[in-house]
């Protein structure tokens, strides 16, 4: 328990929460009558906490991404494959309490078991210390993953459109703000993209970058790309 707390750089005030987070249902079933709790309820809460922390981070740090791309990026960061990778970074499987059968069957290396336990640990930290410690814990894994992604997390429609237009020398693109509405905390922008003097696309968004991207996307769709 102490070794694992060093790995995650968090010391529990209530270590029972951590023990529960590391307890698989097979172990709890094997020790019925011993008041052993498995991590399934914590996993449920951890899933929700993970989602809100990731959504909050990418919403603030990726203002150019439209809603659909934010959804895709969040899904990629909270899926079983990603969580299993994060869990392996701290050797989470080595600390799980599993039944003899599950242990002998390789349960400590099974993605579904390990990724569920990763979410349960998130819930345990949240219940023990609140949102700030758990945010720090989650972002320790998520931020490098975003930065190390081999492909851009969104389609850069503006660059694609620019590359197409550049094939015809003399033609120029211009993005023009059409309207700006809403209070400072909830702005909505609408941009048009013009090819020479002709409007070829229009798009809106909560930031100027997002609106320009959506205008470029519409232009590409109308052009058949």
């Amino acid at each position: 328990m102490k070794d694992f707390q060093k790995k995650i750089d968090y010391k529990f005030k209530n270590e029972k929460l951590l023990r529960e987070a590391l307890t698989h249902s097979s172990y709890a079933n094997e020790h019925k009558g011993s008041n052993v709790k498995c991590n399934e309820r914590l996993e449920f809460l951890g899933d929700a906490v993970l989602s809100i922390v990731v959504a909050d981070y990418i919403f603030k740090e990726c203002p150019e991404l439209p809603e659909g791309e934010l959804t895709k990026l969040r899904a990629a960061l909270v899926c079983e494959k990603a969580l299993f990778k994060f869990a392996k970074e701290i050797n989470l499987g080595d600390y799980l309490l599993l039944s003899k059968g599950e242990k002998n069957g390789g349960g400590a290396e099974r993605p579904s078991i390990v990724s569920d336990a990763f979410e349960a640990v998130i819930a345990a930290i949240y219940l023990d210390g609140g949102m700030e410690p758990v945010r720090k814990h989650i972002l320790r894994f998520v931020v490098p993953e975003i930065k190390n992604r081999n492909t851009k997390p969104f389609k850069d429609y503006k660059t694609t459109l620019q590359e197409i237009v550049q094939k015809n020398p003399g033609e120029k693109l211009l993005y023009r703000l059409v309207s700006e509405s809403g209070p400072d905390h909830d702005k909505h922008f609408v941009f048009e993209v013009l090819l020479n003097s002709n409007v070829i696309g229009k798009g809106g968004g909560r930031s100027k970058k997002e609106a320009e991207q959506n205008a470029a996307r519409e232009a590409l769709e109308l052009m058949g790309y």
Side-chain angles (χ1 to χ4, degrees):
M1 296 281 277
K2 289 181 180 179
D3 185 48
F4 184 71
Q5 288 176 82
K6 287 180 182 177
K7 285 229 178 213
I8 62 174
D9 194 25
Y10 180 78
K11 183 172 176 58
F12 277 82
K13 295 183 283 289
N14 181 4
E15 288 192 354
K16 288 182 179 179
L17 283 169
L18 177 57
R19 185 177 179 85
E20 183 179 336
L22 298 174
T23 302
H24 186 248
S25 57
S26 63
Y27 184 91
N29 290 332
E30 197 173 65
H31 294 78
K32 282 182 179 179
S34 302
N35 199 28
V36 175
K37 293 182 179 179
C38 75
N39 61 12
E40 290 177 352
R41 280 174 54 83
L42 287 178
E43 178 213 331
F44 164 79
L45 178 60
D47 177 68
V49 174
L50 172 66
S51 185
I52 189 62
V53 169
V54 171
D56 178 72
Y57 179 80
I58 63 176
F59 177 83
K60 292 174 180 175
E61 298 298 322
C62 307
E64 75 282 3
L65 294 187
E67 181 271 337
E69 298 302 327
L70 286 172
T71 299
K72 291 178 185 177
L73 179 56
R74 180 182 61 183
L77 293 168
V78 303
C79 68
E80 182 180 290
K81 181 179 178 181
L83 299 187
F84 183 55
K85 178 184 176 184
F86 299 158
K88 287 198 292 185
E89 291 177 23
I90 52 175
N91 303 115
L92 180 56
D94 294 344
Y95 300 93
L96 294 181
L97 295 173
L98 304 165
S99 68
K100 292 178 181 178
E102 195 65 65
K103 198 169 186 177
N104 293 334
E109 290 293 325
R110 190 166 296 141
S112 59
I113 290 177
V114 179
S115 60
D116 285 352
F118 187 83
E119 290 180 325
V121 170
I122 286 173
I125 295 173
Y126 171 70
L127 291 173
D128 191 72
M131 186 56 83
E132 285 313 305
V134 81
R135 187 191 307 276
K136 179 183 176 183
H137 173 72
I138 292 169
L139 295 183
R140 165 189 172 184
F141 302 96
V142 168
V143 173
E145 183 69 12
I146 293 174
K147 291 180 178 179
N148 293 334
R149 288 175 73 85
N150 293 324
T151 58
K152 290 184 179 180
F154 68 101
K155 182 73 173 177
D156 190 347
Y157 299 108
K158 286 183 67 177
T159 298
T160 302
L161 182 60
Q162 184 69 37
E163 290 171 350
I164 292 170
V165 170
Q166 283 177 344
K167 293 178 181 178
N168 299 306
E171 294 195 334
K172 295 182 179 180
L173 281 177
L174 173 69
Y175 290 87
R176 180 172 66 192
L177 179 64
V178 176
S179 66
E180 179 179 336
S181 59
D184 288 343
H185 69 279
D186 191 22
K187 285 284 190 183
H188 184 76
F189 301 92
V190 176
F191 270 79
E192 289 177 337
V193 57
L194 295 85
L195 179 59
N196 299 324
S197 59
N198 300 312
V199 177
I200 59 172
K202 187 176 181 180
R206 298 184 67 168
S207 70
K208 291 181 179 180
K209 286 184 179 180
E210 181 183 342
E212 289 177 349
Q213 285 284 350
N214 286 331
R217 179 172 61 179
E218 183 178 272
L220 288 167
E221 289 173 352
L222 293 173
M223 292 166 70
Y225 290 91

